[in-house]
Amino acid sequence: MVIGLPLEIKKKEIKPSVMVLEMTGRITMGQDCRQVEQEVERLIAQNQKDIILDLTGISLVDSTGIGQIVKCLCKLRTTGGSLRLAGLKGMVAGVFKITKVDQVIGIYPTAVEAAAGLPNQGQGRGDSKI
């Protein structure tokens, strides 16, 4: 089994009020999942409503990682925000499809495409699949 690299997260604002978390490594039980949760909670505390997780550099995600991403979605929705995913490929894309999370969270080929449909600075929402 390939363990992979620990999770690294870089933040960038892709357009006004839309933050992208570019992730590389893995999202697995333990510190990786805590890191995702803490970063999203920091952004929510800064009144950031729309977040895109760019998973292009993610090589492994386990069930705890999937659960953590869904938990982040729920936290954002309770604040009137939204969560989208971008750049899923290979095994990572397969896990989201098998678990049917792809039916709950919007998944896009790139972060730019994920941001395209988001409103600027709170001009209404409309990305809910639940």
Side-chain angles (χ1 to χ4, degrees):
M1 178 170 124
V2 176
I3 304 251
L5 298 172
L7 181 65
E8 290 185 28
I9 301 175
K10 294 180 184 173
K11 292 187 287 189
K12 78 175 185 184
E13 192 170 44
I14 197 163
K15 69 182 203 179
S17 79
V18 178
M19 187 63 69
V20 177
L21 298 179
E22 295 177 336
M23 301 183 177
T24 56
R26 63 178 188 245
I27 305 174
T28 56
M29 184 172 61
Q31 180 57 33
D32 299 330
C33 285
R34 283 189 296 279
Q35 192 175 346
V36 172
E37 180 178 28
Q38 290 166 351
E39 198 59 53
V40 170
E41 286 177 348
R42 271 193 284 276
L43 292 173
I44 290 171
Q46 297 168 4
N47 204 29
Q48 184 68 48
K49 300 284 186 191
D50 298 312
I51 299 174
I52 298 167
L53 303 182
D54 186 343
L55 305 182
T56 303
I58 294 296
S59 59
L60 177 67
V61 64
D62 67 7
S63 60
T64 306
I66 296 285
Q68 188 61 59
I69 290 169
V70 171
K71 184 177 176 182
C72 291
L73 169 69
C74 294
K75 286 181 181 187
L76 280 160
R77 286 194 177 159
T78 61
T79 65
S82 67
L83 179 71
R84 292 180 174 192
L85 305 178
L88 281 69
K89 59 186 178 208
M91 184 280 295
V92 174
V95 169
F96 280 89
K97 187 169 183 63
I98 289 169
T99 58
K100 300 194 185 300
V101 173
D102 64 335
Q103 296 176 15
V104 178
I105 302 176
I107 297 177
Y108 300 83
T110 67
V112 171
E113 289 172 278
L118 288 172
N120 285 333
Q121 301 179 14
Q123 299 172 349
R125 305 272 168 229
D127 193 40
S128 180
K129 289 187 176 185
I130 291 181

